[in-house]
Amino acid sequence: MGRLSGKVAIVTGAARGMGEATARLFAAEGAKVALGDVMVKEGEAVAKDIGDAAFFQKLDVSSDENWASFVAAVVDKFGTIDALINNAGLVHFTPIEHFNPDDAKSILGVNTVGPMLGAKHVAPIMKKAGKGSIVNISSVDGLRGCNGLTLYTASKWALRGLTKSLAYELGTSGIRVNSVHPGGVDTPMGNARGLPPDQLNMAFRRVPLQRIGQPEEIANASLFLATDEASYISGAELAVDGGWGAGYFQPVLPGAPEGLPP
């Protein structure tokens, strides 16, 4: 306990799933945590449950104005920002023949532009402190291609590239930037059909660890990268995918459209 004692962290997409798990873990490890999400009711409930170490403010990560207001509120309440966990994300399934350019605005706006804006607004604060950690939650699909997930995959590869570029740009100011690449995770987005654990694990039986991941397992990776234990790690890619990226695997959950991933 206390691995983040005295630190202040922002977690986006914190109303549920991996973001919620990350916010709770960071607070348990001693951090003050600012939760951002467009899901206001859920986000406020999580922050209230965490207690005085947390506060929530609505945040549309694709909005420059939202980011400016959010970061100003964090600094006003907690004084500084030591870590930014760019967790908010959207998934998008469609064959390329059905691709609608309008979809790119929302998917890239959240998955790629959002983390870029977050870095833009926290960088001056971290530079002033001479330290900081930015963790971008990409995906196993940011390390390989995936059938039917063309737009999503493109957004996560772009986030991987953004991570590398920011590691170079911000490293001389003492700011570390890394990406985490989850595989399947049992969250409302990863388990939209609400399947029970046995069915989920059966669908992932060909992953080397033979099961779906849990949100807390992704949160632990972000925790490590946010701590001083990772003080010489920047520009790195941490796969938290049960070994999925070690070889080819395409899960198909019951009821998934033919030719598309779950």
Side-chain angles (χ1 to χ4, degrees), residues 35 67 121 168 183 216 238 242 253:
L35 290 72
W67 267 112
H121 287 282
Y168 260 98
E216 293 77 14
L238 179 54
L253 298 181

Side-chain angles (χ1 to χ4, degrees), residues 18 137-145 152 160 179-186 200-201 203-222 237-251:
M18 294 187 298
I137 307 300
S138 180
S139 168
V140 66
D141 297 318
L143 299 171
R144 48 155 219 155
Y152 176 80
R160 178 185 175 193
S179 57
V180 171
H181 297 257
V185 184
D186 188 4
L200 279 175
N201 289 334
F204 283 81
R205 65 190 180 278
R206 285 182 289 149
V207 169
L209 294 188
Q210 301 184 318
R211 64 174 176 84
I212 195 168
Q214 295 302 312
E216 293 77 14
E217 294 176 303
I218 314 305
N220 278 321
S222 295
E237 302 155 358
L238 179 54
V240 190
D241 61 1
W244 186 347
Y248 176 77
F249 164 65
Q250 184 67 60

Side-chain angles (χ1 to χ4, degrees), residues 4-163:
L4 291 177
S5 180
K7 294 186 182 295
V8 176
I10 290 173
V11 181
T12 70
R16 64 181 190 178
M18 294 187 298
E20 177 185 351
T22 302
R24 291 183 182 277
L25 177 62
F26 277 35
E29 290 289 350
K32 303 291 186 182
V33 187
L35 290 72
D37 207 303
V38 294
M39 301 175 64
V40 175
K41 183 178 179 180
E42 295 87 344
E44 288 178 340
V46 173
K48 182 178 180 181
D49 191 53
I50 292 173
D52 292 340
F55 92 100
F56 172 86
Q57 181 169 307
K58 183 179 179 181
L59 173 64
D60 174 358
V61 297
S62 66
S63 166
D64 195 24
E65 293 77 12
N66 266 212
W67 267 112
S69 173
F70 186 82
V71 168
V74 176
V75 174
D76 182 63
K77 185 171 182 64
F78 293 138
T80 190
I81 297 169
D82 299 288
L84 166 63
I85 313 301
N86 282 312
N87 168 79
L90 296 175
V91 70
H92 183 270
F93 302 97
T94 189
I96 192 62
E97 298 96 320
H98 298 156
F99 170 66
N100 183 339
D102 291 339
D103 294 332
K105 183 176 181 180
S106 60
I107 300 301
L108 294 174
V110 172
N111 293 1
T112 310
V113 176
M116 192 177 297
L117 289 173
K120 167 188 173 180
H121 287 282
V122 303
I125 298 159
M126 291 182 174
K127 283 183 176 181
K128 184 177 180 180
K131 61 185 177 67
S133 173
I134 298 174
V135 179
N136 294 322
I137 307 300
S138 180
S139 168
V140 66
D141 297 318
L143 299 171
R144 48 155 219 155
C146 186
N147 176 35
L149 276 172
T150 302
L151 177 55
Y152 176 80
T153 299
S155 74
K156 293 301 187 177
W157 274 77
L159 184 54
R160 178 185 175 193
L162 172 65
T163 300

